[in-house]
Amino acid sequence: MLFNYKSLCLSAMALCITACQISPSESLSPTEAKQPLQLRSYWLDDTQGGVLLDPQTSGLSVWRDELLVTIADGSAHSSQVLKLIVLDPKQNRVTHKYPIAVAPTVADSCFGEYMTERPDLEALVVDPHNDKVFYTVTEDASRYQLTQACAEQYKNSGATPYPTLLVRLELNADESAVTMTHVRPIQYTADMQVGNYPNDGIEGMTFGKGQTLYLALEKDAQYQARIFSVELKDSFWQSSDWAPVKDEQLLVPVFDEQVPHPINALTWYEDEQQAWIVAAARNDNELWLIDPDKRQETKRIKLAFLAETKSKDDACGNYEAMNNYSIEGVAAGSDVLWLVNDPWKQNYHKNIQCEANRARYEKMAPLMTKISWQNLLTKK
């Protein structure tokens, strides 16, 4: 996202003392039930093994079984904008980046200027039936204006004057690049009370059962996070008209104070017992396990992050506690969840302790984290 909220970060400095003695497990159950789940996190390297420069990784999805895929938002370094970024979680490295071209039908549409210059793309999912097709969504378009004719055509968004756009991406036949083939604006009803917040829009997406695409809104007019949905039927992209969304009325935590507790990522996880929508509450350093059938209360799991130091200095240890992680991508594997952060430029420097990590923090390099699903389910 382009501009961020006031931090609600963990005060995790006390973890530094124990960070060097942690067990080989990727995630560590704390000794006290109310303590956060401590997670080791690993720096993502660029394709040549160097520091991954400010990709503002927004969204995460499992792709072709062994790979993960993410996308840059509008505040990323110019070299990362309009790129689909493929990650190898075994090596914690970018394997390649697909440039995103804009199809003429999109470039010539009402939204062409925004989509071809520096769109603020948030969240990313792979089509469950075609792994060459991806979907993302736009957030902040406040720097752009629609023409008078287009503004008249799309004036009833139910939220911001410049509407939120669902975006379809497709890998070319030779798999050398990706094309933005379609965009379609989403529409809220007035009684949903979404509010006019250009930079507090949709930041999480995941497919559920069938063709249901869930959309997580950071905050509404009452400062509450919300989850909506839309059905991506076969005919969905044949229209450029409004795509009305449905309020799922899921059991998302509700807060009294007028301070946002946004959802910044979603994924769907299903085991033999039931299905869950896993939401990443970035400002709270929490994962929320939400029952899509609304039969069970939402399970809130507090997290604390430890960054690897890659340091030869014994004083640093192998890991150091992070002041701010900022989850913006979560993806479900067979028995694990993968997390990726979107370095919060206003707060990332607060993580600097060990000099071995300074360059990575200053270049807004992201980290990847793996969590055992069983650890989440058994966490009290």
Side-chain angles (χ1 to χ4, degrees), residues 74-134:
S75 65
H77 187 270
S78 57
S79 63
Q80 313 286 10
V81 173
L82 283 173
K83 298 284 196 309
L84 202 64
I85 303 170
V86 181
L87 309 171
D88 180 351
K90 293 181 180 179
Q91 299 185 55
N92 299 311
R93 178 178 293 190
V94 175
T95 63
H96 49 286
K97 302 174 188 177
Y98 291 112
I100 300 174
V102 180
T105 52
V106 175
D108 295 337
S109 72
C110 283
F111 314 110
E113 179 186 13
Y114 177 46
M115 301 310 298
T116 55
E117 291 188 359
R118 201 180 182 94
D120 186 31
L121 302 177
E122 305 281 355
L124 186 73
V125 292
V126 181
D127 188 296
H129 306 295
N130 184 352
D131 69 5
K132 289 191 175 185
V133 174
F134 310 85

Side-chain angles (χ1 to χ4, degrees), residues 3-295:
F3 307 97
N4 295 291
Y5 307 116
K6 188 176 180 180
S7 173
L8 297 174
C9 308
L10 287 173
S11 236
M13 295 300 296
L15 299 174
C16 291
I17 300 173
T18 60
C20 302
Q21 287 86 34
I22 59 181
S23 76
S25 172
E26 296 299 338
S27 54
L28 309 174
S29 298
T31 56
E32 294 182 15
K34 292 184 180 181
Q35 287 185 338
L37 190 64
Q38 299 176 33
L39 303 171
R40 298 191 298 184
S41 302
Y42 298 89
W43 294 106
L44 281 170
D45 292 330
D46 214 336
T47 50
Q48 303 302 315
V51 174
L52 182 53
L53 175 61
D54 192 17
Q56 293 294 293
T57 37
S58 298
L60 192 67
S61 192
V62 174
W63 189 49
R64 295 182 174 176
D65 296 329
E66 296 183 357
L67 299 174
L68 298 168
V69 62
T70 186
I71 201 164
D73 73 15
S75 65
H77 187 270
S78 57
S79 63
Q80 313 286 10
V81 173
L82 283 173
K83 298 284 196 309
L84 202 64
I85 303 170
V86 181
L87 309 171
D88 180 351
K90 293 181 180 179
Q91 299 185 55
N92 299 311
R93 178 178 293 190
V94 175
T95 63
H96 49 286
K97 302 174 188 177
Y98 291 112
I100 300 174
V102 180
T105 52
V106 175
D108 295 337
S109 72
C110 283
F111 314 110
E113 179 186 13
Y114 177 46
M115 301 310 298
T116 55
E117 291 188 359
R118 201 180 182 94
D120 186 31
L121 302 177
E122 305 281 355
L124 186 73
V125 292
V126 181
D127 188 296
H129 306 295
N130 184 352
D131 69 5
K132 289 191 175 185
V133 174
F134 310 85
Y135 304 106
T136 183
V137 65
T138 64
E139 191 185 31
D140 193 349
S142 57
R143 293 173 297 167
Y144 294 82
Q145 286 187 333
L146 297 171
T147 65
Q148 184 175 350
C150 290
E152 181 64 25
Q153 181 180 356
Y154 296 109
K155 66 181 180 181
N156 295 317
S157 73
T160 53
Y162 201 111
T164 295
L165 305 174
L166 286 178
V167 182
R168 183 184 184 274
L169 308 172
E170 185 170 2
L171 193 60
N172 296 354
D174 63 359
E175 301 200 356
S176 62
V178 168
T179 299
M180 186 185 298
T181 60
H182 300 79
V183 299
R184 190 169 174 189
I186 66 172
Q187 185 180 44
Y188 306 95
T189 60
D191 61 1
M192 291 177 179
Q193 298 185 31
V194 170
N196 179 5
Y197 301 110
N199 197 46
D200 295 286
I202 301 298
E203 289 233 5
M205 299 199 312
T206 188
F207 274 101
K209 295 178 180 178
Q211 296 172 304
T212 301
L213 180 66
Y214 292 94
L215 307 168
L217 182 80
E218 286 194 275
K219 76 173 183 183
D220 64 9
Q222 306 303 319
Y223 287 78
Q224 306 300 323
R226 303 272 289 281
I227 296 179
F228 300 92
S229 71
V230 65
E231 294 294 318
L232 254 62
K233 298 178 180 179
D234 294 341
S235 60
F236 183 86
W237 298 107
Q238 295 175 13
S239 172
S240 59
D241 292 338
W242 290 112
V245 300
K246 173 186 175 183
D247 185 352
E248 288 290 333
Q249 298 184 341
L250 297 178
L251 303 179
V252 176
V254 176
F255 300 88
D256 293 332
E257 72 272 22
Q258 287 196 336
V259 176
H261 296 262
I263 294 174
N264 287 78
L266 287 182
T267 195
W268 179 276
Y269 193 98
E270 191 168 355
D271 58 25
E272 295 178 356
Q273 281 71 45
Q274 75 165 91
W276 299 91
I277 294 174
V278 183
R282 188 195 68 170
N283 289 19
D284 299 278
N285 265 9
E286 291 182 356
L287 290 179
W288 297 345
L289 273 57
I290 303 168
D291 181 358
D293 296 319
K294 294 178 277 192
R295 293 175 300 188

Side-chain angles (χ1 to χ4, degrees), residues 355-367:
E355 285 300 311
N357 280 348
R358 177 179 292 276
R360 294 179 183 273
Y361 285 127
E362 290 179 345
K363 292 183 178 181
M364 302 294 150
L367 294 124

